[in-house]
Amino acid sequence: MTIAELFNAIESHKMAAEVNIASSRRLANEIVRSHPIVRELADKMKKPRVTERIFLRLLGLTSQATDPRYENPSDIALLAYLLLLSWRDRQLALIAGSAVCQMPNLWWASKMATDILERRSEQNEMAGETSTPVAANTHAGDRLFLADPRSFLTAAAPPYLFRIRHPNLTQTFDPRTRTVPGGIRRVASHSTSRFEPEAAAA
Amino acid sequence: MSPYIIQRGGPRDPQAIPLATKLGTHITNERRRELAPDSLRASAELWASERPAARLRSISATYNCVGMVFASRRTWVDTDELEKILQEDGYHRVSGLDEIDTGDVLIYRGAKGEIGHIGVVLSSEPVVGTASWMVTVLSKWGAEGEYIHAPDHVPHFCGRPSEYWSERREMP
């Protein structure tokens, strides 16, 4: 199957129905992990561009409007994409997890996103509860606020090319080459989705 | 920014309801939002073709199998909570098929022995010709339908029927 066909299959009602028979997080992850379509897409991720397409596909789903009365219909697809990213690219998985955590009305995907984010956590000595490095004194029932990475992510053409720019950073990170070229690059905001050639400079 | 809850399903989570075992131990739970009608229809169609001998009784995503059995269909309870519930609610394992009765629960286990599913026994009738028992079970298939079915007529990932448990008390 082509990448587009695999995306469509993962985002289909049939896939969701096959996964949603799970009554536990463990089982939902197991079903997705072993699903032939997910395995096929995972195999294609040997090419880095496929990983980036999955990441961008996930970001696209996070910005789709859905009926607020119901669970987000992309929940299973987001779960699958998060799993795939966590297998291949930890940094992208973290960013994807942060984006997914911003979305309402998710179920399995939000739990997976939380798992991804909390793997960066430190153990609280007092009660064995987890906390993140920025909130060392959290307790069960507390709320952890995350920045929305979609506010500083850009989409650029070609589809595999994008820049991650954090407001507190003066350099941009190229996920393809894992380098920090240096200098401030003028990039389009996520909301305008304006393209920027790789060679463009501030 | 949006928050996420630390230790979801706990007693301080607004998405959880007060739910506890007979000994007062909180049962972790979380209320799940309903699936869109087209998602529910797609689910019913899929399982009608995959498990045609199972009869659909009801369909709603807001609770799962454990929520149906132990929370009156009010909320979602992960199967990880089952062993605690069975122990603290005074359940005992039923030793033989001839002792199964209406209201007992059937536990399903995966290949590694982990609990994957639970259902309620609706009936258990002797089959004289084969010296066996015909058991009918009601169970909730994840976020999808409640089905009336034979014990082994469930989606593959639910696991295999493993053991029956009961809270029945004999007349003193």
Side-chain angles (χ1 to χ4, degrees):
Chain A
M1 295 172 77
T2 65
I3 300 298
E5 289 171 340
L6 290 170
F7 284 164
N8 289 337
I10 286 176
E11 296 165 20
S12 67
H13 283 310
K14 182 173 184 294
M15 174 84 175
E18 290 170 347
V19 178
N20 271 324
I21 57 99
S23 278
S24 67
R25 185 190 310 192
R26 173 194 52 76
L27 186 55
N29 290 346
E30 180 185 334
I31 296 173
V32 171
R33 195 176 293 122
S34 63
H35 200 287
I37 293 176
V38 173
R39 303 303 304 184
E40 185 175 344
L41 189 54
D43 192 58
K44 292 182 184 296
M45 290 173 78
K46 293 171 186 173
K47 297 180 181 178
R49 292 186 180 185
V50 174
T51 302
E52 290 159 12
R53 284 187 66 179
I54 292 172
F55 177 70
L56 290 173
R57 186 77 173 193
L58 179 147
L59 285 187
L61 289 178
T62 64
S63 58
Q64 283 184 355
T66 59
D67 191 330
R69 295 173 296 171
Y70 304 116
E71 185 170 290
N72 190 311
S74 299
D75 180 61
I76 299 302
L78 289 167
L79 169 65
Y81 295 149
L82 283 173
L83 263 174
L84 287 163
L85 289 172
S86 70
W87 291 341
R88 182 65 62 175
D89 191 314
R90 178 75 184 144
Q91 290 170 319
L92 286 183
L94 283 170
I95 298 170
S98 294
V100 168
C101 275
Q102 309 300 324
M103 300 173 66
N105 300 345
L106 290 176
W107 184 253
W108 299 124
S110 63
K111 298 178 194 305
M112 173 55 64
T114 303
D115 281 350
I116 289 172
L117 293 169
E118 291 187 355
R119 273 179 211 148
R120 300 194 64 182
S121 63
E122 299 167 351
Q123 284 299 115
N124 182 308
E125 293 177 1
M126 292 172 60
E129 297 163 312
T130 60
S131 60
T132 68
V134 299
N137 295 317
T138 54
H139 302 279
D142 287 351
R143 287 164 173 74
L144 188 64
F145 288 83
L146 300 168
D148 186 345
R150 296 170 298 176
S151 62
F152 53 82
L153 282 170
T154 68
Y160 57 82
L161 173 63
F162 60 93
R163 291 286 181 266
I164 299 172
R165 179 188 169 90
H166 190 281
N168 293 333
L169 293 176
T170 59
Q171 297 171 326
T172 57
F173 171 72
D174 185 340
R176 292 180 305 134
T177 62
R178 305 265 173 238
T179 61
V180 181
I184 298 175
R185 295 192 180 276
R186 183 189 177 102
V187 295
S189 70
H190 178 71
S191 60
T192 62
S193 298
R194 200 159 52 82
F195 292 165
E196 172 196 292
E198 183 179 9
Chain B
M1 295 184 181
S2 293
Y4 76 80
I5 302 291
I6 296 172
Q7 290 199 4
R8 289 166 71 164
R12 293 176 58 186
D13 184 354
Q15 288 304 311
I17 63 170
L19 185 65
T21 67
K22 282 188 177 178
L23 297 186
T25 306
H26 177 75
I27 298 172
T28 301
N29 72 92
E30 192 175 350
R31 287 173 290 171
R32 182 171 180 171
R33 194 169 287 263
E34 186 63 272
L35 291 177
D38 52 353
S39 297
L40 293 176
R41 276 193 293 272
S43 159
E45 287 169 7
L46 170 70
W47 297 113
S49 66
E50 295 281 333
R51 295 291 184 269
R55 181 166 73 86
L56 178 66
R57 173 191 176 272
S58 174
I59 189 162
S60 169
T62 60
Y63 60 97
N64 64 341
C65 58
V66 186
M68 184 193 82
V69 176
F70 292 111
S72 299
R73 300 177 171 81
R74 294 188 178 95
T75 186
W76 185 287
V77 180
D78 196 288
T79 52
D80 289 348
E81 297 286 294
L82 266 175
E83 290 186 354
K84 173 179 70 180
I85 295 171
L86 291 174
Q87 181 179 358
E88 296 193 14
D89 278 5
Y91 276 74
H92 58 273
R93 186 165 174 175
V94 177
S95 57
L97 289 177
D98 58 330
E99 296 184 12
I100 298 169
D101 203 354
T102 302
D104 293 345
V105 298
L106 171 59
I107 299 291
Y108 291 74
R109 293 187 183 270
K112 298 176 183 176
E114 70 284 8
I115 295 178
H117 186 56
I118 184 172
V120 177
V121 173
L122 293 182
S123 65
S124 179
E125 304 293 333
V127 181
V128 177
T130 55
S132 60
W133 295 83
M134 186 172 73
V135 180
T136 304
V137 175
L138 171 67
S139 72
K140 179 72 162 57
W141 295 0
E144 297 168 359
E146 272 187 40
Y147 287 89
I148 297 169
H149 57 87
D152 56 356
H153 201 63
V154 294
H156 164 74
F157 277 103
C158 288
R160 300 184 60 81
S162 176
E163 66 254 26
Y164 293 87
W165 292 72
S166 180
E167 37 55 68
R168 277 178 278 136
R169 297 289 182 264
E170 300 292 335
M171 177 70 74

